Amino acid sequence: MRPALAALAACCVVARAELPNARLAVRNTTIHHVLQCSDGLVLPAWRPLEDVPNLEIAFRGFIYFLVLMYLFIGVSIVSDRFMAAIEVITSREKEVRVRRNGAEQIVVVRVWNETVANLTLMALGSSAPEILLSVIEIAGKNFEAGDLGPGTIVGSAAYNLFVIIAICVMVIPDGEVRKIKHLRVFLVTATWSIFAYVWLYLILAVISPSEVEVWEGAVTFLFFPATVMTAYIADRRLLVYKYLKKGYRVNERGVIVEVEGDGSVEMALKPNDDGTEDDELEKSRREYIQVLRELRRQNPEEDLETVERMALETLMARGPKSRAFYRVSATRMMTGGGDFSRKISERAQSDLSEVKAELQRRESTSTGSEIKGPNVRFDPDHYTVMENCGSFEVRVVRRGDLNGEVTVQYCTEDGTAEAGSDYIATQGCLVFGPGEAEKKFSVQVIDDDVFEEDEHFTVRLSSAKGACLASPSTATVVILDDDHSGVFSFPQRDFELTESVGTYELKVARTAGARGKVRIPYWTEDGTAKSGAQFEAVQDHIVFENNETEKFIPLHIIEEDSYEKDVLFYVNLGNPESVGDNNRPIIPGNEAVHLTTLPEDEAVVAMMGFPRAGEITRAQLRIKESKEFKNTVDKLVQRANASIIIGTSSWKEQFSEALTASSDNPDEPPSTFDYILHVFTLFWKIIFAFVPPTDIGGGYVCFVVSIICIGVVTAVIGDVASHFGCTLGIKDSVTAILFVALGTSIPDTFASKVAAIQDKHADASVGNVTGSNAVNVFLGIGVAWTVAAVVHWSKNEKFIVDPGNLAFSVTMFCSEAALAVLVLVLRRRKSIGGELGGPKITKIITSMFFFSLWLTYLTMSTLEAYGYIKGF
């Protein structure tokens, strides 16, 4: 023990003796530290670069880090303006002519295919900073290769695939799963995303080591349209159903989009092979109707329009949303802008008003077009008079310009009623003076004591001067015999009514006489419509007074708010019977004896004088859904896409949003934290509020201006990231995969998390990751390296790219990415049921596995960059 203590004491003495020299060495090293930094494309290096103390180096690194984080927020905000423009552009529609059930129709379809939009503009929007950083870095280094751009693309791909998916798997509630709906597209884009990085390794280390040739850069870029094309083929299944012509289908929100088909309407607008699209559209309709019923029960005091607006808000909040919506929502929450609840409410009110107005316009248009200019017509054009009325007046009206004089001839024409025996023939001329809008003339009816059936004649207008004849120019007059009790029946067998009618008045007509008081029993009968569910059963009677020719049976229809309803029930009439003033039946006596004294033909007619039932005593009533309700549902379901609210219509709206702090709950005021975030990001909000609104130029102006702004901010990010790395002695390749890739992917992280929780499928949260990873390489590196290779080729030089850390990083990512995709596919087995979620233990294991893949990638790439392990 003593020798050990002696040795320890000796070491302490030596260390104490050498301490002053060590302090002097540290002091000298600090004083003479030289930073190997150079001016960036936009931002010059922080000077001085020599004799920089360690404390100042730490201070500079801290400032650079804060500025870098602030720039990430800025590029996220302007990227959201870019995404909003893309959403408006890809939501454009066009009119096409199709044939349906043998008739040609004009339908509105989406211009952009959903898969093509996601892999082109949407991918460009979510990855614009990474892509532009690669391009700008090449341009800033005189078309020499750099580590920051490619490293950011590979690092961002690793973060997206490993970390984002790990988070999305974990945030799903226990026991729930989210499954990728378009599996074919996912597998194609996943294959391309892995191949993209394999291709990078091939051109860096195998085909032409340390050199990128022009054709290699060009082929890298051309893989981008190849990715889009193969994904489109997978989406449309063109390899299975080849040589099919273009058709159309209805997606889950009632929007018509292009599909493969035989060109016929019957195929194009029928459910497709798997029935999923029309099934989902029907689900959306049923969901809207169900929500409407629930809200009507919960808010009985509210009017129907208010409840419809509330139902539309609920449907928009629950419905599927685009990647752009989730991305913009995530940034708004990160910057104190709140969610879209208020905008959804405003949009729902606006959509409901527009739909109601459109339906009213269509209804008014469908009633027929009015003749322009002055015209004359009958109003009304049908008269029913009793035989004993003596005379009645016929009304003629003038419409349009009432100035000037108008004349029109009129005359009566025989029908079953004959002039001289049933009525007195009449003719004449009506003269409308200036300002006169109507004229009347009289027609006399002849009364007799002979039993007769109902007869009719017509009155016709002709030879109008100063105006034209409009329809109706002929009026029909029916003379009812008042010498017998009449025939009672429904005017037709079949009636169609809507469930929203409330109380339907079913007409019972009295013809061939109107003498006396008659009582008729009636009752309802169930068919496919059941009493108590679709209508209220009733059993009663109606009473016709003397000379009364029609009565109505009130039928109460129960409204169910059904989207598609087609049910039947029946109403029956019993035998009519004459009644006295006390409503007791009258038994005919003398009348029956009198019949025996009449000739046979007159006796037959006289028998008709008793009240009797007509041919139609059983009416079939068909209850259909309310056409207005159905049209309203169709229109609102088509509009129930919350993604479209991310656009803006004016600079006023943009500045109002930029200057206003909001909370996630629209019913509560912003919290202190919301105000802190709002104030912290106010500078970026105001700057990018100057970007043109998406409503200008169909979104293209906003698209162009936004991408320019992204390029400017990205250029500054590249300079700051490079200065940050060189100040702290961190290599660009490590800065790229650790800091820049993480900073540019934070909004996508929140967007994917929210999408995973809210969406019914995993496409918005997971499916887009693989497509974006492939597009990043083919666009970001393809464009940059192609341009650089062409510039060097024009100078008879070679474009040198050191494989080094990039090749090693790509290899690590490809290996792990293949493993990750395999795990996702295996999770679709019945034991789990989907890529995201599942049992709690399974979720934890999967998330930890994906997160460990990312940590392994970062660790191995960093160790290789600093030479601790050997790369390529």
Side-chain angles (χ1 to χ4, degrees):
M1 190 71 173
R2 289 181 179 178
L5 292 175
L8 180 60
C11 291
C12 292
V13 171
V14 172
R16 186 183 182 101
E18 293 182 354
L19 186 59
N21 294 330
R23 290 176 177 171
L24 180 60
V26 172
R27 187 182 297 114
N28 291 339
T29 302
T30 303
I31 293 173
H32 296 287
H33 198 89
V34 178
L35 301 180
Q36 302 297 325
C37 298
S38 58
D39 292 341
L41 180 64
V42 179
L43 198 66
W46 190 335
R47 288 178 170 75
L49 300 176
E50 298 179 352
D51 297 332
V52 183
N54 282 339
L55 184 60
E56 185 175 344
I57 290 176
F59 176 74
R60 290 186 184 184
F62 179 70
I63 296 298
Y64 277 133
F65 179 79
L66 291 181
V67 172
L68 195 60
M69 294 301 104
Y70 199 63
L71 288 170
F72 287 147
I73 295 174
V75 80
S76 296
I77 293 175
V78 70
S79 293
D80 290 343
R81 303 292 310 126
F82 188 52
M83 293 289 280
I86 291 172
E87 184 69 35
V88 171
I89 292 171
T90 55
S91 298
R92 291 184 62 194
E93 298 173 338
K94 64 180 179 181
E95 291 184 352
V96 297
R97 295 179 180 272
V98 298
R99 298 190 63 80
R100 186 176 190 180
N101 300 327
E104 187 176 84
Q105 294 183 357
I106 298 178
V107 296
V108 178
V109 302
R110 280 285 176 88
V111 174
W112 283 79
N113 172 268
E114 184 179 1
T115 299
V116 174
N118 285 337
L119 285 177
T120 53
L121 295 183
M122 285 296 179
L124 178 62
S126 61
S127 303
E130 295 96 321
I131 295 172
L132 290 177
L133 180 61
S134 178
V135 175
I136 292 171
E137 184 189 32
I138 285 283
K141 291 181 177 292
N142 294 322
F143 298 100
E144 298 294 339
D147 292 330
L148 197 62
T152 299
I153 287 177
V154 181
S156 178
Y159 180 88
N160 292 343
L161 186 59
F162 303 141
V163 178
I164 289 182
I165 293 182
I167 294 173
C168 291
V169 170
M170 198 63 198
V171 296
I172 304 298
D174 293 343
E176 295 184 16
V177 294
R178 303 289 187 269
K179 199 172 185 178
I180 291 177
K181 177 183 174 184
H182 300 99
L183 182 61
R184 295 184 303 272
V185 177
F186 170 74
L187 293 177
V188 169
T189 55
T191 302
W192 276 110
S193 67
I194 296 175
F195 170 77
Y197 296 92
V198 172
W199 173 253
L200 267 185
Y201 174 78
L202 291 176
I203 62 177
L204 287 174
V206 178
I207 300 176
S208 56
S210 302
E211 178 188 356
V212 175
E213 299 177 358
V214 174
W215 73 269
E216 292 174 332
V219 169
T220 303
F221 172 73
L222 292 177
F223 281 138
F224 168 64
T227 303
V228 176
M229 183 59 66
T230 51
Y232 176 77
I233 290 173
D235 183 35
R236 299 277 68 83
R237 294 176 293 177
L238 297 181
L239 293 179
V240 179
Y241 303 97
K242 57 184 178 180
Y243 308 123
L244 294 182
K245 297 180 181 179
K246 180 174 66 177
Y248 301 92
R249 64 171 167 81
V250 183
N251 71 5
E252 61 188 270
R253 285 305 180 202
V255 179
I256 300 176
V257 294
E258 291 185 3
V259 295
E260 74 284 357
D262 60 3
S264 68
V265 178
E266 285 72 23
M267 181 273 170
L269 295 181
K270 286 192 305 184
N272 57 2
D273 295 333
D274 55 12
T276 56
E277 300 296 346
D278 282 354
D279 288 346
E280 290 187 359
L281 175 58
E282 183 59 28
K283 286 180 183 177
S284 299
R285 290 167 174 162
R286 289 199 297 266
E287 181 182 4
Y288 175 82
I289 294 168
Q290 183 63 31
V291 170
L292 187 63
R293 290 174 181 171
E294 292 176 0
L295 290 173
R296 291 184 70 174
R297 285 195 295 266
Q298 296 170 4
N299 305 275
E301 73 285 352
E302 299 289 351
D303 57 67
L304 179 60
E305 185 169 336
T306 301
V307 176
E308 285 180 332
R309 177 183 58 77
M310 295 165 64
L312 182 58
E313 289 180 29
T314 304
L315 191 64
M316 292 177 72
R318 292 181 182 177
K321 304 172 184 67
S322 68
R323 181 74 180 177
F325 177 87
Y326 288 119
R327 171 68 186 257
V328 176
S329 297
T331 303
R332 285 174 65 96
M333 288 188 290
M334 290 168 53
T335 58
D339 60 12
F340 285 108
S341 300
R342 183 173 285 106
K343 291 194 72 172
I344 288 177
S345 176
E346 294 173 354
R347 179 74 191 207
Q349 181 61 54
S350 173
D351 284 353
L352 185 61
S353 300
E354 289 181 15
V355 166
K356 295 289 187 182
E358 180 180 353
L359 294 177
Q360 289 177 359
R361 286 196 301 269
R362 288 186 178 183
E363 184 178 355
S364 62
T365 303
S366 63
T367 57
S369 57
E370 295 288 334
I371 297 178
K372 296 181 179 180
N375 59 85
V376 291
R377 68 186 71 180
F378 284 114
D379 185 18
D381 65 336
H382 188 89
Y383 295 85
T384 301
V385 297
M386 302 301 299
E387 188 180 61
N388 61 359
C389 71
S391 65
F392 66 95
E393 289 186 332
V394 178
R395 180 171 177 261
V396 180
V397 298
R398 175 167 68 158
R399 296 288 182 262
D401 186 8
L402 299 182
N403 296 322
E405 185 178 270
V406 173
T407 61
V408 62
Q409 304 290 328
Y410 67 88
C411 66
T412 56
E413 296 180 357
D414 286 355
T416 55
E418 297 180 357
S421 60
D422 298 306
Y423 72 97
I424 298 176
T426 304
Q427 62 180 1
C429 177
L430 298 176
V431 180
F432 291 84
E436 286 187 302
E438 69 174 53
K439 285 288 186 180
K440 296 179 181 179
F441 61 91
S442 296
V443 178
Q444 293 186 356
V445 178
I446 299 175
D447 189 15
D448 57 38
D449 295 328
V450 179
F451 292 115
E452 296 175 313
E453 295 186 11
D454 295 345
E455 298 172 315
H456 75 275
F457 66 96
T458 58
V459 185
R460 187 178 304 277
L461 296 177
S462 62
S463 304
K465 295 182 180 180
C468 60
L469 287 178
S471 180
S473 60
T474 301
T476 301
V477 182
V478 177
I479 302 175
L480 297 181
D481 186 74
D482 61 346
D483 299 315
H484 53 55
S485 299
V487 178
F488 301 86
S489 67
F490 296 113
Q492 61 196 58
R493 295 185 187 276
D494 298 311
F495 296 84
E496 187 171 297
L497 54 145
T498 63
E499 66 170 0
S500 61
V501 69
T503 299
Y504 181 74
E505 301 286 343
L506 180 62
K507 180 180 177 181
V508 179
R510 182 184 200 179
T511 58
R515 186 186 65 179
K517 190 175 183 180
V518 179
R519 183 176 65 186
I520 308 171
Y522 68 88
W523 65 93
T524 58
E525 178 184 337
D526 286 1
T528 54
K530 304 302 179 183
S531 58
Q534 281 85 29
F535 70 97
E536 295 181 7
V538 64
Q539 182 175 357
D540 204 343
H541 61 268
I542 51 175
V543 177
F544 283 81
E545 300 292 340
N546 186 46
N547 288 338
E548 194 171 16
T549 59
E550 62 181 29
K551 294 289 282 187
F552 293 91
I553 298 174
L555 300 171
H556 299 288
I557 308 301
I558 300 173
E559 186 171 7
E560 296 182 297
D561 288 334
S562 294
Y563 176 77
E564 290 184 348
K565 175 185 279 190
D566 190 355
V567 291
L568 304 171
F569 74 101
Y570 306 93
V571 178
N572 300 285
L573 290 179
N575 292 322
E577 53 186 1
S578 296
V579 295
D581 292 336
N582 58 1
N583 285 338
R584 293 185 176 181
I586 298 176
I587 301 176
N590 296 332
E591 291 86 348
V593 175
H594 176 67
L595 294 178
T596 60
T597 63
L598 297 175
E600 183 178 355
D601 56 343
E602 292 186 13
V604 171
V605 175
M607 281 291 294
M608 298 174 59
F610 296 118
R612 61 188 179 88
E615 292 185 3
I616 307 176
T617 58
R618 179 181 171 89
Q620 175 179 277
L621 289 90
R622 183 181 301 272
I623 306 176
K624 302 280 288 184
E625 74 281 348
S626 168
K627 183 173 292 186
E628 179 183 359
F629 177 76
K630 182 176 181 179
N631 290 337
T632 301
V633 171
D634 283 342
K635 291 290 184 182
L636 293 181
V637 165
Q638 290 181 18
R639 290 168 174 257
N641 180 2
S643 299
I644 59 180
I645 68 173
I646 65 177
T648 53
S649 58
S650 65
W651 271 289
K652 178 183 177 181
E653 179 184 353
Q654 293 183 175
F655 278 100
S656 176
E657 290 185 358
L659 296 172
T660 304
S662 302
S663 66
D664 294 340
N665 188 345
D667 298 328
E668 297 179 0
S671 64
T672 303
F673 187 66
D674 290 327
Y675 279 112
I676 292 174
L677 291 176
H678 174 67
V679 172
F680 183 66
T681 58
L682 186 60
F683 170 77
W684 293 120
K685 291 181 178 180
I686 294 176
I687 290 296
F688 296 128
F690 285 97
V691 175
T694 55
D695 280 8
I696 296 179
Y700 287 100
V701 178
C702 180
F703 179 91
V704 173
V705 176
S706 296
I707 202 169
I708 292 174
C709 293
I710 293 173
V712 173
V713 179
T714 302
V716 179
I717 287 176
D719 289 349
V720 173
S722 181
H723 295 334
F724 171 73
C726 75
T727 299
L728 298 181
I730 304 174
K731 291 189 175 183
D732 280 352
S733 58
V734 178
T735 302
I737 64 173
L738 187 58
F739 295 101
V740 183
L742 186 64
T744 56
S745 299
I746 290 298
D748 285 321
T749 304
F750 286 97
S752 294
K753 173 181 173 291
V754 176
I757 297 173
Q758 295 185 0
D759 256 17
K760 299 177 181 178
H761 303 283
D763 297 74
S765 53
V766 175
N768 289 330
V769 168
T770 54
S772 297
N773 286 351
V775 171
N776 286 356
V777 173
F778 298 145
L779 280 183
I781 294 180
V783 172
W785 284 4
T786 300
V787 173
V790 169
V791 171
H792 283 275
W793 174 79
S794 66
K795 299 178 181 179
N796 294 322
E797 298 174 352
K798 293 182 178 181
F799 177 45
I800 303 300
V801 179
D802 182 16
N805 183 251
L806 181 60
F808 181 85
S809 180
V810 164
T811 304
M812 284 293 302
F813 173 74
C814 288
S815 304
E816 295 183 350
L819 192 58
V821 172
L822 178 62
V823 170
L824 289 177
V825 173
L826 291 176
R827 282 179 55 89
R828 294 177 65 91
R829 296 167 63 91
K830 290 184 178 179
S831 57
I832 300 178
E835 290 79 4
L836 306 181
K840 185 174 182 179
I841 300 300
T842 307
K843 288 195 311 178
I844 294 174
I845 294 174
T846 305
S847 297
M848 291 179 62
F849 173 72
F850 273 84
F851 196 75
S852 66
L853 289 179
W854 183 63
L855 292 179
T856 302
Y857 164 78
L858 285 183
T859 303
M860 298 298 289
S861 296
T862 302
L863 292 176
E864 194 279 335
Y866 286 100
Y868 290 101
I869 60 176
K870 187 177 179 180
F872 300 106

